[in-house]
Amino acid sequence: MQGLVPTILLALLSGSPASAGPVQRRQEVVTQTVAASAPSAPTPWTWNAGGSQAWPIHESCNATERALLKKGLDDAATLAAHARDHVLRFGNSSDMFQKYFGSAPSAEVVGWYDKIAKGDRSRFKFRCDDVDGNCVLPGWGGHWRGENGTDETVICPLSYTTRKPLEDMCGYGYRVARGALSFYFGSDLIHRLLHMPSVGEGAAEHFADSYTECLELAAEKPAEAVRNSHTLQYFALDVYAFDVAVPNEGCTGKPAREEEEEGSHEHESAPAPTATTSSAPTTTSAAAAECHTHSNGEVHCA
C-alpha cells in the first residue's frame, strides 16, 4: 500500500502530453502585423494652371504665315519689354516719357507694356483666314473681329508682304515722327494686342492718331495719353530706336508737315511750278491706307 502511493503521484506528475494539449492550445497568443497605409499627399495648388506664354496662332495659318506672325509677335514683346524697362529705370522723369505721357504717373504705362511682354496669352488668338471677308478691302493688313469673335484678330496677307522686322529699325529712311505705325510688324501688333479684351480690357483705346496729335494729348490730357494705343506704339518705337537701334541718336525725325514747311522756307525765292492737270488716279500706299476696327466699332484708316 505504501509503495503504491508514490507510483500514483509519479503518474499524476508525469501526465501524458495528450492530456495537457488542450490547455496549452488555449494559452497560445497569435500575433499579426498589419502595415498602416501612408496618408495620401495633398494635390498641389497650381495658381497659374491653364495660362500660357506661347503665342496662340490659329490653325488657319500656314507654315510661312505662322513663322512670320510669330516673329512679329516676338518683336512686339521685345519693343514692349524695352519700353517697360526704360520706364522702370527712369520713371516719369525722362524726356522721352514726358514727351509722350506728360505728367502722368509711370505705373500704368509699365503695366500696359508688361502685359504685352509677359502677360497670359491663352485667352486670345491670331488667325490667317479671311473669315469676315475684310482682307479684300484695299489697305487692310488685319482687323480685330469685334462681335464676330471678341478674342480673335485676323492678320491679312498684306501684313506678311509689307511689314518690316525689328532688326530694320531706322532703316529705309524710316523716322518715327512721320513713319507709319504699321511699318514694323512688331509695332503694328502692339496695337492689335491692345484691342484684345484680355489685354486692353476696354481701357486702352483710341484717343489720338498722328504723332503730333499724340504729343498734344500728352500735354493736355496725360490720363488719356497713357491709355492711347497710338501713343503706346510711338513711345515704344522711339525709345527703342534711341536706346537700342541707334544708341543716343535714334531716328525720331520730324512730322512730314514740319519738314515740308522747312523745305518751303528754304526755297521761298524759287518760282512756283506750273500747274498741270493729269488724268492719272491718285494712289495711296499700303502703309498709309492701313485700316483697323476699334472696339467701339469705328473703322480707322491711318
Side-chain angles (χ1 to χ4, degrees), residues 19-299:
S19 62
V23 175
Q24 291 177 348
R25 283 196 297 270
R26 284 196 298 270
Q27 292 177 345
E28 289 177 354
V29 177
V30 178
T31 302
Q32 183 177 6
T33 303
V34 179
S37 59
S40 58
T43 302
W45 166 243
T46 306
W47 66 269
N48 61 347
S52 175
Q53 282 290 290
W55 293 115
I57 300 176
H58 194 258
E59 56 270 17
S60 61
C61 301
N62 63 37
T64 300
E65 291 168 334
R66 181 176 295 272
L68 291 172
L69 183 52
K70 182 182 183 303
K71 176 62 171 67
L73 289 166
D74 286 343
D75 284 355
T78 298
L79 281 169
H82 179 73
R84 174 202 63 199
D85 292 345
H86 179 97
V87 179
L88 287 173
R89 167 63 180 84
F90 299 106
N92 60 359
S93 67
S94 79
D95 293 340
M96 196 77 79
F97 184 97
Q98 292 172 8
K99 178 172 77 169
Y100 286 102
F101 303 112
S103 59
S106 63
E108 185 170 353
V109 176
V110 169
W112 289 126
Y113 290 126
D114 208 29
K115 289 196 73 175
I116 293 171
K118 297 181 65 178
D120 177 46
R121 299 166 184 171
S122 65
R123 290 182 288 173
F124 56 82
K125 186 164 288 189
F126 288 89
R127 56 192 304 158
C128 301
D129 54 344
D130 191 11
V131 64
D132 301 310
N134 291 330
C135 289
V136 298
L137 299 174
W140 278 55
H143 65 279
W144 174 62
R145 299 194 63 208
E147 294 181 357
N148 293 335
T150 56
D151 295 315
E152 293 185 342
T153 284
V154 173
I155 303 299
C156 299
L158 180 68
S159 288
Y160 302 111
T161 58
T162 61
R163 307 291 185 253
K164 299 293 188 292
L166 193 55
E167 287 80 4
D168 292 343
M169 175 63 71
C170 296
Y172 304 98
Y174 172 82
R175 296 294 180 265
V176 175
R178 56 182 170 83
L181 288 170
S182 59
F183 190 81
Y184 295 102
F185 213 170
S187 58
D188 179 59
L189 288 168
I190 284 179
H191 192 173
R192 300 190 188 282
L193 283 163
L194 288 169
H195 275 308
M196 301 288 196
S198 60
V199 180
E201 297 177 345
E205 263 298 341
H206 185 72
F207 303 107
D209 282 325
S210 70
Y211 174 83
T212 301
E213 289 172 345
C214 287
L215 300 193
E216 292 172 351
L217 184 68
E220 298 169 4
K221 299 179 180 179
E224 289 186 4
V226 299
R227 297 184 175 190
N228 185 41
S229 59
H230 282 194
T231 299
L232 291 166
Q233 288 173 279
Y234 275 121
F235 177 82
L237 286 165
D238 212 359
V239 77
Y240 186 88
F242 188 87
D243 292 346
V244 180
V246 187
N248 201 34
E249 182 177 342
C251 54
T252 301
K254 296 180 180 179
R257 182 174 298 176
E258 290 185 16
E259 289 189 348
E260 290 172 1
E261 290 175 355
E262 289 181 0
S264 65
H265 293 320
E266 292 174 0
H267 304 285
E268 285 179 349
S269 59
T274 303
T276 59
T277 303
S278 172
S279 60
T282 301
T283 60
T284 305
S285 68
E290 170 64 14
C291 300
H292 43 263
T293 306
H294 295 281
S295 57
N296 61 4
E298 173 189 354
V299 176

